[in-house]
Amino acid sequence: MRLVPKASGAAEQFVELEGSPDMVCEIVSDSSVAKDKQRLPSCYFAAGVREFWLLDARGESLEFVIHRRGVSDFQPAAIDESGFQHSEVFATSFRLDRQCDERGHWEYDLRIQNETPQSECR
């Protein structure tokens, strides 16, 4: 990524970022299945994106896959025995969990491997 400075040349003032993002996350909806799962991955790969995360929560089972750059396309990251996938971009591993709340709505929690418990409020 490269910061593009403002035409005025003012210090620490930028117009845009130029280049590819390190990570892109697509959340599949009923109207975007073919685009998110078939067309976009190859476009992101051609653009130089390092990781492509795909989340599909439409069905009974939750699909969360971290894809890394392979030789010619994205490859899914290995899933460890606890369900975590390693992200090279963030240098840590993630797992997405979901559970139903008391009203019957899904709640999602992105877990970070080896996360330390939050301190209690006092």
Side-chain angles (χ1 to χ4, degrees):
M1 293 278 233
R2 180 179 88 81
L3 293 171
V4 178
K6 286 184 122 179
S8 67
E12 301 298 316
Q13 298 293 311
F14 303 98
V15 175
E16 63 186 27
L17 292 173
E18 197 174 78
S20 297
D22 289 329
M23 185 275 279
V24 171
C25 180
E26 286 294 339
I27 301 172
V28 179
S29 68
D30 289 337
S31 65
S32 71
V33 178
K35 179 183 74 167
D36 294 342
K37 291 188 169 191
Q38 297 168 9
R39 293 194 310 265
L40 288 178
S42 61
C43 294
Y44 292 144
F45 189 87
V49 173
R50 289 177 49 201
E51 279 184 2
F52 169 62
W53 293 22
L54 183 68
L55 170 60
D56 189 345
R58 296 171 306 127
E60 286 296 316
S61 61
L62 174 64
E63 180 183 357
F64 170 64
V65 182
I66 295 175
H67 295 87
R68 298 186 201 152
R69 290 184 69 81
V71 174
S72 60
D73 61 359
F74 285 109
Q75 301 296 314
I79 300 173
D80 73 11
E81 63 280 352
S82 299
F84 284 90
Q85 301 170 70
H86 187 73
S87 165
E88 293 177 355
V89 169
F90 295 104
T92 194
S93 296
F94 297 92
R95 181 181 77 208
L96 185 64
D97 295 333
R98 78 173 174 183
Q99 62 272 339
C100 221
D101 69 11
E102 63 277 352
R103 296 174 298 169
H105 298 112
W106 288 116
E107 291 182 338
Y108 296 85
D109 191 9
L110 184 63
R111 301 282 184 177
I112 301 169
Q113 195 166 42
N114 300 324
E115 60 188 359
T116 55
Q118 305 243 339
S119 59
E120 293 181 20
C121 295
R122 297 175 192 220

